[in-house]
């Protein structure tokens, strides 16, 4: 694998961080290419247990260069806090092993406020935002109303640019939302506390990657969230505001000419979904509560209980297709070990007809899950490291998913720790 994207196939939280952490030793560069600090990647390894939000999951390996590409929502405040938290646990983060693209746009303090104000205005029609400012950030980026990290190199010019944006943004804050205006003093504090702290990490990462490409170095492109949260191909409007697909990786990482040779799609052995929006395979009641507890399905960023359901073969097949996945990592198989029978969402029923196709976003509310049950294995598999040692029912479960989604499952994860993996 020379250039490999690791992406989510479902609604996010599939365990991408865990797979990136596992595979990083094969790569020279690990690059985040989209999204912000609005979701979390949990990584458990010999260095400890970490909930990463914006930092690439390759930071635990010596010699690996980690890059935050131009496609990310670069929040100086959250990033600086995260850097300090991770450093406090003994991980070295220096301008040598962490680099921020000078072309990354900055998430500004008012983006978080606007996110919360809009969700408040929507009241019971909320999108389920994590209120980290991601949607207002990306809309301003597309309106060219934010600043680039590299502008920090000339502070006077940076301040003047910010002052003109402030004047414009206060029209919305006060006029539309009847909220407090921002002041330049407040922004000066933000510059001093956070922007100047991250400035030493800012550089021309495009040039670094171009040189790396010429030298034949290997690159791992790390995505946030999953196919169904993609701004263009997901469950609009309950998506995130960036492209979560591997096809966006070359643009967002800083190397538009990159050809991604491998796309590893991460699929969870059952389904979870955080926040609002259609979730056709959702389970409720005691069965759902048991699965949520077994999988510890609470958001890494917000602590919110995740909605749960059986593996959804319709949504997963669609996710594999839009990601162009070449291999699958199936995670959290161990969580299903207690079940005598495992429900599987095999098709959807839409307007009285059964279908294998993932519906148009606004039709999803009318879709129902067609559930079939397959035998469980009822044995603890968390210690298994070889395919042939998995119980037959567990092997059959993997093979059933593989056949339905048309993509080979190359990794089966049976625990959160780095070594809890079966290679096929
Ligand atoms: P990401 O955003 O896709 O990286 O996923 P999250 O970190 O939000 O959620 C995945 C969670 O599942 C984390 O708490 C991981 O430690 C955990 N995890 C990953 N793989 C496995 C696995 O195979 N078994 C178990 N039990 N937990 C896992």
């Amino acid at each position: 694998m020379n250039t490999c994207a690791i992406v989510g196939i479902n609604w996010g939280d599939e365990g991408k961080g865990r797979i990136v952490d596992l595979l990083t030793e094969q790569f020279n560069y690990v690059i985040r290419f989209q999204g912000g600090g609005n979701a979390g990647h949990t990584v458990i390894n010999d260095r400890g247990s970490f909930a990463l939000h914006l930092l690439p999951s390759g930071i635990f390996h010596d010699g690996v260069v980690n890059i935050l590409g131009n496609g990310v929502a670069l929040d100086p405040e959250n990033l600086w806090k995260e850097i300090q938290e991770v450093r406090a646990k003994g991980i070295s983060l220096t301008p040598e092993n962490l680099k921020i693209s000078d072309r990354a746009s900055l998430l500004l303090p008012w983006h978080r406020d606007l996110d919360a104000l809009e969700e408040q205005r929507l009241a019971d029609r909320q999108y389920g935002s994590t209120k980290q400012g991601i949607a207002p950030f990306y809309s301003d980026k597309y309106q060219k109303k934010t600043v680039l990290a590299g502008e920090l190199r000339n502070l006077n010019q940076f301040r003047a640019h910010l002052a003109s944006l402030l004047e414009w943004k206060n029209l919305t804050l006060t006029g539309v939302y009847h909220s407090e205006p921002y002041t330049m003093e407040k922004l000066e504090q933000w510059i001093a506390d956070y922007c100047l702290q991250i400035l030493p990490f800012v550089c021309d990462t495009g040039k670094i990657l171009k040189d790396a490409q010429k030298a034949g170095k290997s690159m791992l492109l790390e995505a946030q969230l999953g196919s169904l949260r993609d701004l263009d191909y997901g469950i609009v409007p309950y998506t995130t505001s960036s492209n979560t697909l591997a096809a966006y990786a070359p643009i967002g990482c800083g190397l538009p000419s990159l050809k991604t040779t491998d796309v590893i799609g991460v699929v969870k052995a059952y389904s979870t979904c955080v926040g609002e929006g259609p979730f056709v395979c959702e389970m409720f009641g005691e069965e759902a509560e048991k699965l949520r507890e077994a999988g510890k399905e609470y958001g890494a960023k917000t602590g919110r209980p995740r909605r749960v359901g059986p593996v959804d073969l319709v949504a997963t097949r669609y996710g594999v297709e839009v990601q162009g996945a070449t291999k699958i990592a199936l995670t959290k198989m161990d969580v299903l070990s207690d079940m005598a029978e495992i429900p599987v969402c095999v098709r959807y029923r839409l307007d009285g007809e059964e279908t294998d196709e993932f519906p148009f976003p606004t039709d999803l509310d009318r879709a129902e899950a067609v559930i079939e049950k397959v035998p469980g294995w009822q044995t603890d598999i968390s210690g298994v490291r070889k395919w042939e040692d998995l119980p037959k029912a567990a092997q059959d479960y993997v093979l059933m998913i593989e056949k339905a989604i048309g993509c080979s499952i190359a990794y089966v994860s049976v625990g959160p720790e780095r070594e809890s993996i079966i290679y096929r």
Side-chain angles (χ1 to χ4, degrees), residues 12-18 40-42 44 300 306 331-335 413-416:
D13 304 317
E14 298 92 347
K16 295 172 293 296
R18 177 249 184 289
H41 297 283
T42 308
I44 303 173
R306 293 174 181 153
T331 60
K332 301 196 99 164
M333 273 289 283
D334 54 306
V335 172
S413 174
V414 290

Side-chain angles (χ1 to χ4, degrees), residues 233-273:
Y233 294 90
I235 52 170
V236 182
Y238 301 98
T239 63
T240 194
S241 299
S242 64
N243 289 106
T244 58
L245 301 186
Y248 183 75
I251 300 271
C253 81
L255 196 56
S257 63
L258 187 75
K259 303 275 182 282
T260 313
T261 51
D262 296 84
V263 177
I264 300 183
V266 186
V267 174
K268 205 181 266 190
Y270 52 94
S271 300
T272 62
C273 168

Side-chain angles (χ1 to χ4, degrees), residues 43-243:
V43 175
I44 303 173
N45 56 30
D46 51 352
R47 316 291 294 273
S49 171
F50 301 85
L52 301 181
H53 301 291
L54 198 51
L55 287 171
S57 307
I59 55 170
F60 307 103
H61 289 264
D62 295 336
V64 170
V65 177
N66 293 273
I67 293 181
L68 289 168
N70 52 283
V72 303
L74 200 98
D75 179 339
E77 177 175 343
N78 278 353
L79 176 61
W80 181 239
K81 288 180 180 164
E82 191 176 333
I83 288 175
Q84 286 175 305
E85 272 170 33
V86 169
R87 276 179 172 166
K89 289 187 171 180
I91 306 299
S92 163
L93 289 172
T94 67
E96 292 308 305
N97 73 343
L98 176 66
K99 296 180 191 292
I100 298 172
S101 167
D102 55 5
R103 282 184 171 271
S105 297
L106 297 192
L107 187 143
L108 303 171
W110 50 66
H111 289 138
R112 244 190 298 275
D113 296 345
L114 285 165
D115 208 346
L117 286 165
E118 179 57 12
E119 284 288 88
Q120 202 179 325
R121 189 191 71 80
L122 284 168
D124 60 356
R125 291 166 296 139
Q126 290 190 9
Y127 288 3
S129 167
T130 54
K131 303 194 184 82
Q132 295 297 309
I134 304 299
F137 161 81
Y138 277 110
S139 22
D140 281 1
K141 174 175 170 174
Y142 280 88
Q143 285 202 75
K144 298 153 290 176
K145 298 280 196 192
T146 177
V147 283
L148 300 178
E151 290 182 63
L152 279 166
R153 292 189 289 237
N154 182 335
L155 265 185
N156 284 340
Q157 230 172 301
F158 180 83
R159 285 195 180 98
H161 190 178
L162 214 49
S164 77
L165 295 175
L166 169 88
E167 188 190 318
W168 170 75
K169 191 52 85 181
N170 276 344
L171 296 174
T172 309
L173 282 167
T174 59
V176 177
Y177 292 107
H178 310 294
S179 179
E180 289 295 305
Y182 261 83
T183 61
M184 211 48 212
E185 290 76 64
K186 212 167 166 183
L187 292 181
E188 284 295 345
Q189 197 62 49
W190 172 75
I191 295 172
D193 290 349
Y194 307 114
C195 297
L196 296 183
Q197 310 300 326
I198 62 158
L199 180 58
F201 298 92
V202 175
C203 59
D204 183 354
T205 56
K207 164 99 175 66
I208 293 171
L209 289 177
K210 228 167 15 187
D211 292 346
Q213 188 182 34
K214 271 192 209 133
K217 301 282 186 196
S218 54
M219 299 176 196
L220 195 163
L221 303 142
E222 178 179 12
Q224 180 216 29
L225 294 167
S227 311
L228 302 166
R229 300 292 188 195
D230 181 83
L231 179 60
D232 287 83
Y233 294 90
I235 52 170
V236 182
Y238 301 98
T239 63
T240 194
S241 299
S242 64
N243 289 106

